[in-house]
Amino acid sequence: SEIDVEATGADQAVGFGLVGFSLSLFTYYTIWVIVLPFVDSDHVIHSYFLPREYSVILPGVAALILLLFVGTFIGVVTWKNRKPKKVD
Amino acid sequence: MATLKLYKFTVCAIYNKNIIYETELSNRNTFILTGGFFNYNFALHRPTIFITMTKLLEWLLGVSLIGVAWGLVTFDLLDLQLPPQYRELAWPMPVYLLVVFGCYSLATVGYRVATFNDCEDAAKELQAQIKEAKEDLKKKGLKMHMHVLSMESSAVSFSRVCICIGQGMNTSFLNQFFLMSPNSESDLEMNPLCSCTRAAFQ
C-alpha cells in the first residue's frame, strides 16, 4: 500500500504562490472596477489606481501578449519537431 | 387569383420534455422558425413545431440576454437615466468577468498543484520492479526497451503507470492501468505515439 506524502516543497511554493497572486489580482481589480465608482472623487484611495479606461485596456493588452506568447511557443515547438518525410 | 389557405399552427417550446411555452401562430404572421421540428399534433388537430431546447441553445439564450442587458445599460439605448455610478460600473463588466474567470482558473490550478500527492515510495518500488523484469527478460534472450512514461497518483491512492515495451519494430503494451497520452520524454524516440490502454501483456 502506498503512503501519500505531501507535495514537494517546490510544488507547494509554486502552487500557493499562484493562489496568492490570483487572490491579490482579484482584490485589486475588484476594488478598481466595482468599488471606486461609489467612492467620492476627492478620496485619497483614487491615487492608488489608474484612470478607469486602463481597467479595460490593460487586460486587453495582457490577453494580446498571452496570445502572442502561446502562438510563438506553438510555432517554435512545431518547427523543432518537423521531420523530413521518409522515402521508402 | 388563387387564395392562400390560412394555416394555423401551434409552437411549443419544450424544456426537459415539458412544454413550457405554447403559442398559436398562423402563416400570415410567421416566416422563420429555425431549430424546429415540424410535426402534426393529433391531439390539437393542427400542425405543430417543436423547438427542442438543447444545452447549446440554453447557453446562447442566456448569453445573448445578458449581452442585450449590458448593451442597453452601457449605450443607454432606452434612456433609462441611471445614476452615473451604475453606468460607470456596467461598461467594463465583460472584461471584468473575464479577468475574474482567469483569476479563478489560476487559483484552482495553483491550489491543486500545491496539494497534489506524490508517491515517492511507490515510484522507487516500481523502478526497481522494472529493472528486475528487464534483467529477467534479458536472460530469456529478448532484447527489450522499457520506459516508464508517466506516473501519477491521486488522493484515492492508486497510481497510473504506463510502460511501453518495444522489441525492434514490434511494440506490445504491458499495462494494467489507463493513460491518455505519454509524457514528452526525449528518449522515447522508438515510439513517440505510444498510447496505452487497458490490455494484457501479449
Side-chain angles (χ1 to χ4, degrees), chain B residues 37-67:
Chain B
F37 173 59
F38 195 78
N39 209 337
Y40 187 83
N41 190 323
F42 288 94
L44 300 173
H45 298 294
R46 62 165 65 106
T48 321
I49 296 182
F50 294 94
I51 301 172
T52 315
M53 183 64 77
T54 61
K55 275 289 169 211
L56 176 67
L57 278 177
E58 205 182 300
W59 273 88
L60 284 174
L61 201 72
V63 167
S64 51
L65 276 171
I66 294 172

Side-chain angles (χ1 to χ4, degrees), chain A residues 74-84, chain B residues 184:
Chain A
I74 292 175
V76 163
V77 169
T78 314
W79 178 258
K80 268 193 183 167
N81 285 345
R82 77 191 192 290
K83 282 197 183 123
Chain B
S184 54

Side-chain angles (χ1 to χ4, degrees), chain B residues 57-81:
Chain B
L57 278 177
E58 205 182 300
W59 273 88
L60 284 174
L61 201 72
V63 167
S64 51
L65 276 171
I66 294 172
V68 164
W70 175 81
L72 285 174
V73 174
T74 308
F75 302 107
D76 213 14
L77 297 169
L78 289 177
D79 286 322
L80 287 169
Q81 312 288 350

Side-chain angles (χ1 to χ4, degrees), chain A residues 1-8 11-16 18-19 21-23 25-26 29-30 33-35 37-38 52-53 55-56 59-60 83, chain B residues 85-86 88-89 91-93 95-96 99-100 103 106-107 109-111 113-122 153-159 192:
Chain A
S1 64
E2 295 144 19
I3 306 160
D4 280 346
V5 184
E6 259 190 14
T8 52
D11 284 348
Q12 267 189 322
V14 168
F16 288 125
L18 272 179
V19 172
F21 170 73
S22 55
L23 269 177
L25 182 68
F26 170 75
Y29 199 67
T30 304
V33 173
I34 295 195
V35 174
F38 299 98
R52 204 160 170 74
E53 298 76 40
S55 71
V56 170
K83 282 197 183 123
Chain B
Q85 293 102 329
Y86 290 98
E88 272 291 300
L89 174 60
W91 73 263
M93 263 306 124
V95 181
Y96 175 75
V99 171
V100 165
C103 281
L106 210 64
V109 166
Y111 180 71
V113 164
T115 54
F116 192 80
N117 294 323
D118 281 335
C119 290
E120 302 230 11
D121 296 338
S153 75
S154 72
V156 208
S157 296
F158 70 89
S159 53

